[in-house]
Amino acid sequence: MKLNARLGSVAAVSVIMAATLVSQTSAQQYSGYYRLQTMFQAPEGKCLEGNRYDRQSTLGGAAFMDDCQNVSGQLWEFLDQGNGYYKLTTMFQSPEGKCFEGNNLQQTSVLQGGAFLDDCQNVSGQFWKIVPEQDGYVRLQTMFLEPQNKCLEGNRFAPDAFLRGSAFMDDCQNVSGQLWLITPEGGSAPAISAPPVPAAPVDPMRPRASS
């Protein structure tokens, strides 16, 4: 074998091993349950809560920032989908096969664009990427709206707040409501590394009319 070819082969193997290591690290990084807090409302002891999508639920079932407490809707599980993406579900609704979904912010979308838990399915609005920021914070983006540079934003739960406080996908910007801490239940936040290069996206989720 020529030297150049051998070096090329070694380099290719190194790339594969590095990719495998990143994948394994990513998969092991999020085991168990986590709480999600924003820089904006962590000082007030607020956590993201995933609710049941139902007219009788708070905000119709949209996820929202509530007092951190011992409820299963605030315990989030990250299910590794490969290529740097995760599906998110809660201890409360994972037995029902529900996954967190980020939608278009518009009147014709479910809950006018509020993020919510829907049936787990192969839609790009349920594939979440964790984007590292400084000081242990991350941004949360979906495969669906990542090309439009949208990030999940946690709002204040109040009648006069935007969407009355529903979490929603907005333009990624320098606001504290888009900077998230992912904290293990009963522990400190894990170190966040940059995600692997994503694969080609699945078909984008179509906006769905509000019920």
Side-chain angles (χ1 to χ4, degrees), residues 6-186:
R6 180 174 297 176
L7 290 175
S9 177
V10 170
V13 171
S14 298
V15 169
I16 293 172
M17 290 178 66
T20 302
L21 179 60
V22 169
S23 176
Q24 290 175 344
T25 301
S26 176
Q28 294 173 356
Q29 191 172 5
Y30 298 102
S31 59
Y33 291 98
Y34 295 80
R35 294 187 184 273
L36 295 174
Q37 293 184 284
T38 62
M39 178 189 286
F40 175 40
Q41 288 199 283
E44 302 174 29
K46 304 294 184 181
C47 289
L48 183 66
E49 187 165 321
N51 208 348
R52 188 185 303 280
Y53 175 47
D54 185 276
R55 289 180 183 272
Q56 304 302 316
S57 297
T58 301
L59 300 177
F64 65 104
M65 305 302 295
D66 197 9
D67 294 333
C68 296
Q69 51 195 298
N70 189 29
V71 293
S72 56
Q74 292 183 5
L75 299 178
W76 295 84
E77 187 175 10
F78 288 73
L79 307 176
D80 186 19
Q81 304 298 302
N83 298 306
Y85 289 99
Y86 297 83
K87 288 201 172 190
L88 276 63
T89 186
T90 62
M91 178 187 287
F92 174 41
Q93 290 206 280
S94 62
E96 300 175 29
K98 304 293 183 181
C99 288
F100 194 40
E101 189 165 313
N103 207 347
N104 263 325
L105 186 61
Q106 59 187 27
Q107 289 290 325
T108 56
S109 295
V110 172
L111 301 174
Q112 300 180 0
F116 67 109
L117 284 142
D118 196 12
D119 294 333
C120 296
Q121 51 195 300
N122 191 33
V123 292
S124 53
Q126 292 184 3
F127 284 73
W128 293 87
K129 177 185 282 187
I130 301 166
V131 183
E133 292 289 344
Q134 294 182 344
D135 301 321
Y137 289 97
V138 301
R139 294 183 187 273
L140 296 173
Q141 294 186 287
T142 63
M143 183 186 287
F144 175 40
L145 292 174
E146 181 184 351
Q148 299 176 38
N149 198 34
K150 304 290 184 181
C151 289
L152 181 69
E153 186 165 323
N155 204 352
R156 188 181 299 281
F157 177 44
D160 59 346
F162 184 69
L163 293 181
R164 295 187 295 150
S166 301
F168 64 100
M169 305 299 295
D170 197 12
D171 295 333
C172 296
Q173 51 195 300
N174 189 30
V175 293
S176 56
Q178 292 183 5
L179 296 176
W180 296 85
L181 283 175
I182 303 174
T183 307
E185 174 63 5

